[in-house]
Amino acid sequence: MGFFSFLKSMFSVSADTDIAIKYNGFSIVPTPIREGGQFRVAATITKGEGDTLQTHKFIRSDLVGSQSECAEVTIRKAKMTIDQLEDRLFR
């Protein structure tokens, strides 16, 4: 795999993971990152809108075998992180 192909795969998002999950005032969009035959747990977490919109790119070390399972794990871990950090997530 070439370097640019690797970069492209790092940031690719499947259409079926583009659904935002609302949780305690935050929005979680799972964005599993394909790595070989597995998927890395990743999401975009946002809060607010317009001028008050805050965004955090959530990436974990966990690798999961299927994209749909990865999206489920991502949502669970993102919710735990939101519960633990709340607005400190954006610091």
Side-chain angles (χ1 to χ4, degrees):
M1 174 186 302
F3 179 72
F4 291 108
S5 297
F6 171 75
L7 285 178
K8 181 180 176 187
S9 72
M10 287 285 295
F11 297 102
S12 65
V13 178
S14 174
D16 65 346
T17 61
D18 288 342
I19 298 173
I21 306 299
K22 302 295 183 188
Y23 182 72
N24 289 349
F26 292 81
S27 179
I28 305 165
V29 178
T31 56
I33 300 169
R34 180 183 300 272
E35 289 192 19
Q38 297 182 315
F39 294 87
R40 182 167 306 280
V41 170
T44 300
I45 301 174
T46 59
K47 184 175 183 182
E49 54 188 52
D51 291 341
T52 64
L53 181 66
Q54 297 177 313
T55 302
H56 175 77
K57 185 65 178 173
F58 178 79
I59 301 175
R60 308 297 298 172
S61 61
D62 309 76
L63 292 172
V64 181
S66 77
Q67 188 172 15
S68 60
E69 182 182 356
C70 186
E72 292 173 19
V73 171
T74 297
I75 292 166
R76 187 177 72 245
K77 289 189 175 251
K79 286 179 177 181
M80 285 182 356
T81 300
I82 290 167
D83 289 342
Q84 293 170 353
L85 298 177
E86 298 174 340
D87 287 339
R88 294 185 311 247
L89 181 66
F90 301 111
R91 289 188 189 164

